[in-house]
Amino acid sequence: MADVSVPVGKTKGAGWEIGVSKTLGYGVDEVWSVLVGEPGVWLGDGALVPTVKGEQWQADDGTVGELRSRREHDRIRLTWRRVDGREDSIVQVALKATTPQKTVVRFHQERMVDGSLREQQRKHWQAAMERLELAVANSVQTGVR
């Protein structure tokens, strides 16, 4: 009988996916403020977070996409295509308060073409999470929002 197991991260109909999450010691408003005010920490330098569905975004490194949905203080969903990408994937960043001063941040990317891109993006989102946490800490410390 053939092995019908599916590799970790491979979905039945949506390609490969990866999720990275972490609980940050800051409120949703503080985290959201940095997500939309300093999008370079997660989308890439030069990027702006679109506000209208269908609006395009682009980072300085050539990564591009378009906004699919945005719910204030909750989540942003957009397409993602690296300059060397063959097709769009979908990225979502979601926030959930666990207490007034703790927020779970989750980056989720789906519809990637292969497992090697999945591993590359795992590292990307882990680094983005570190940058986000530092940026929020700096924003809170300096009082800049």
Side-chain angles (χ1 to χ4, degrees):
M1 190 159 144
D3 181 8
V4 293
S5 64
V6 177
V8 173
K10 176 84 165 114
T11 66
K12 202 170 200 178
W16 293 81
E17 65 181 1
I18 187 65
V20 172
S21 65
K22 185 172 184 180
T23 301
L24 304 184
Y26 304 98
V28 168
D29 291 346
E30 295 161 329
V31 176
W32 182 262
S33 178
V34 172
L35 277 174
V36 299
E38 299 179 44
V41 301
W42 65 283
L43 280 178
D45 290 339
L48 298 175
V49 178
T51 56
V52 178
K53 183 178 179 179
E55 188 177 5
Q56 303 291 311
W57 68 273
Q58 181 171 347
D60 292 345
D61 69 358
T63 304
V64 298
E66 90 176 26
L67 182 67
R68 292 293 178 91
S69 65
R70 176 176 166 158
R71 291 194 310 230
E72 298 299 306
H73 303 273
D74 182 49
R75 70 190 63 231
I76 299 168
R77 188 169 170 85
L78 39 79
T79 61
W80 174 280
R81 181 181 293 181
R82 297 185 72 89
V83 69
D84 59 352
R86 294 169 274 187
E87 57 191 59
D88 289 345
S89 60
I90 304 292
V91 170
Q92 177 171 278
V93 58
L95 307 180
K96 181 177 179 169
T98 57
T99 71
Q101 290 304 313
K102 288 189 178 180
T103 302
V104 175
V105 178
R106 177 166 171 85
F107 290 110
H108 184 262
Q109 187 169 3
E110 61 189 38
R111 300 185 186 215
M112 290 178 285
V113 296
D114 58 41
S116 65
L117 181 57
R118 177 183 186 268
E119 288 308 309
Q120 177 183 338
Q121 289 305 103
R122 174 198 311 272
K123 291 175 186 166
H124 171 84
W125 294 119
Q126 288 170 335
M129 188 71 76
E130 290 175 18
R131 290 189 305 271
L132 175 64
E133 187 171 21
L134 288 172
V136 175
N138 186 55
S139 173
V140 169
Q141 184 178 29
T142 61
V144 176
R145 289 189 196 180

